[in-house]
Amino acid sequence: MAVDVKYTAEALASGDGRNGQVKTAGGSLDLKLAAPKELGGSGDGNNPEELFAAGYAACFHGAVRKMAGEADQDAADSSVGVKIGIGGDDAGGMALTATIEVVLPHVEKAAAEDLAKKAHDFCPYSKATRGNIEVDIKVVED
């Protein structure tokens, strides 16, 4: 599949991997990284899973709002929360999971579930993870 690139984000990680620094080329994002306590770290900084969850949530929310607009549904007061889990896999490495919680308070549940499915088909983060990590999508009440 060819991609007509319209924008490229650039970030640099330095230091000791999960215990270092990450910043964007433009400098608008500059964060201290620290492994979470659950993985043996100090937990006193951000970690890659938080950054991935934030990006996925923002992207998926944009996809939900686009699908709602195309279906003439009310996406006012909508939100998307993403939880990224990390743990060991069967091959002795590490793997991720994702739980996506979609809130569409002005849309009936069946229609909201349909919009969430269409958003999952459209969202580039969902496309990038499809078949690579377990993704659970839930429509929840506010």
Side-chain angles (χ1 to χ4, degrees):
M1 166 178 55
V3 177
D4 180 18
V5 175
K6 304 288 186 202
Y7 168 76
T8 300
E10 185 177 348
L12 176 69
S14 60
D16 186 19
R18 291 181 165 272
N19 297 298
Q21 192 81 12
V22 67
K23 60 183 168 182
T24 56
S28 62
L29 180 73
D30 188 350
L31 299 172
K32 174 184 176 183
L33 296 177
K37 291 179 181 181
E38 296 84 352
L39 295 179
S42 67
D44 67 349
N46 293 99
N47 62 66
E49 292 71 39
E50 290 174 322
L51 300 174
F52 185 46
Y56 203 165
C59 189
F60 201 92
H61 190 221
V64 165
R65 293 184 61 86
K66 177 178 175 48
M67 296 303 114
E70 290 179 1
D72 200 28
Q73 294 284 341
D74 185 358
D77 306 315
S78 63
S79 64
V80 170
V82 173
K83 298 174 184 175
I84 298 295
I86 185 168
D89 66 11
D90 295 342
M94 299 294 282
L96 301 174
T97 64
T99 301
I100 301 171
E101 296 179 341
V102 178
V103 177
L104 284 160
H106 309 296
V107 179
E108 291 181 16
K109 185 157 186 168
E113 288 171 344
D114 184 56
L115 293 174
K117 181 190 177 312
K118 289 178 179 174
H120 187 52
D121 291 340
F122 180 81
C123 174
Y125 276 63
S126 290
K127 288 179 181 179
T129 60
R130 189 164 291 121
N132 297 311
I133 69 173
E134 293 177 24
V135 177
D136 183 25
I137 301 172
K138 302 174 181 180
V139 172
V140 297
E141 294 186 22
D142 192 15

